Amino acid sequence: MSAIPDLTAPPPGGNKTVLLFWAPWHEDSVSLKESVLPALASSSSTLTFGCVEAEAQPTLSEQYNVTVVPTFLFLADNGNVTERMEGTVEIAAVTQAVQRLGNAIMAAATEEPTEEEVKEEPLNDRLARLVQSSDVMLFMKGTPTAPNCGFSRQAVEMLEEGQIAFGSFDILSDDTVRQGLKEYSDWPTYPQLYAKGELIGGLDILKEMKEDDSTPLADQLGVTRELTLNERIAKLLQRHRIAKLL
């Protein structure tokens, strides 16, 4: 596992970033810096990770209002702080926050055509492209990190609990898609869930699938369950320990 860079200036914009403020005299923060953060970085190719020695960089600490170590900050690509964890932190909580940041990137990764391309592309062709843009695709109100209705929030939570990687589309951002998809799928409500281009249904259907203890949700959707960040970190840390012994 490669070392995480120590920053002396704010991270550049354009990337979502996980920052750890640490101190050499704080044993837990040193452990987070040397073991946990590199493991998180190795398991996520879409996020940027950085460390800041809090007392050696007072300007950065003041800029981000950091008063204790360790402090984790989760930054949007515009540099705004979306989540903050201070003091005694649990690795599970940190990994979940990293996963939320990663899901936001996955949702944003569904590239939309330009306005001119939209005018030229028939609506049904565009909808067909959208529903197939990810193996599991959720059409929802809002985004996975900021749902705009309780039904969408529940759908996101069930997919995350089932360790399902998914893309998403905010139907509130495009009324043409919002209205057109109802006819395209012959399903009048949102959220709508698709797997490999095929309509699965809405929240009630997803709940029924989740409650089926005999078959994991990933198997029902025909996709592979992703290892959780905790599982990937455990594997990476074990590999790191073995490498030290060799």
Side-chain angles (χ1 to χ4, degrees):
M1 291 182 289
S2 58
I4 303 299
D6 273 294
L7 304 181
T8 58
N15 293 313
K16 298 194 180 202
T17 305
V18 179
L19 287 183
L20 168 64
F21 284 77
W22 70 288
W25 50 265
H26 193 284
E27 186 176 342
D28 287 347
S29 73
V30 173
S31 177
L32 291 170
K33 175 182 184 290
E34 294 182 349
S35 298
V36 175
L37 206 62
L40 287 167
S42 297
S43 65
S44 177
S45 60
T46 55
L47 303 178
T48 300
F49 291 78
C51 295
V52 178
E53 187 177 341
E55 293 177 345
Q57 303 297 331
T59 302
L60 280 179
S61 296
E62 183 177 354
Q63 177 178 339
Y64 288 107
N65 195 27
V66 172
T67 58
V68 298
V69 293
T71 291
F72 276 98
L73 299 180
F74 303 87
L75 310 183
D77 50 14
N78 61 3
N80 290 339
V81 177
T82 61
E83 287 193 62
R84 172 188 294 264
M85 295 181 180
E86 300 176 323
T88 303
V89 296
E90 296 184 0
I91 294 177
V94 174
T95 57
Q96 288 168 3
V98 171
Q99 194 165 31
R100 284 191 290 273
L101 204 59
N103 282 341
I105 286 181
M106 265 191 285
T110 304
E111 293 187 3
E112 278 298 284
T114 65
E115 186 175 345
E116 291 181 359
E117 289 172 335
V118 169
K119 290 179 181 177
E120 296 175 0
E121 184 180 26
L123 178 58
N124 275 4
D125 290 351
R126 184 184 177 206
L127 296 175
R129 176 176 56 78
L130 284 172
V131 301
Q132 297 178 65
S133 59
S134 180
D135 279 352
V136 177
M137 192 69 188
L138 181 66
F139 291 83
M140 60 180 291
K141 295 179 179 179
T143 66
T145 54
N148 276 344
C149 80
F151 297 142
S152 292
R153 176 184 54 76
Q154 291 179 61
V156 168
E157 288 175 351
M158 283 188 279
L159 290 171
E160 290 180 344
E161 288 169 4
Q163 297 165 230
I164 310 296
F166 66 98
S168 72
F169 186 93
D170 179 6
I171 53 133
L172 299 179
S173 69
D174 191 320
D175 197 57
T176 300
V177 171
R178 179 181 184 179
Q179 300 302 329
L181 195 61
K182 293 179 182 180
E183 295 184 12
Y184 178 89
S185 63
D186 195 23
W187 195 272
T189 59
Y190 290 99
Q192 291 184 18
L193 183 69
Y194 290 76
K196 297 186 175 179
E198 298 295 326
L199 175 68
I200 299 300
L203 182 62
D204 289 343
I205 301 297
L206 185 57
K207 282 182 176 179
E208 291 177 7
M209 297 172 73
K210 188 74 166 52
E211 290 168 359
D212 181 2
D213 295 331
S214 63
T215 308
L217 181 58
D219 291 346
Q220 295 183 65
L221 294 175
V223 297
T224 303
R225 179 186 76 87
E226 285 203 328
L227 291 177
T228 65
L229 281 173
N230 278 337
E231 291 169 333
R232 281 180 279 173
I233 287 170
K235 283 189 173 184
L236 287 165
L237 290 175
Q238 179 63 25
R239 190 184 311 159
H240 188 52
R241 284 193 289 269
I242 291 172
K244 280 187 172 181
L245 294 173
L246 296 178

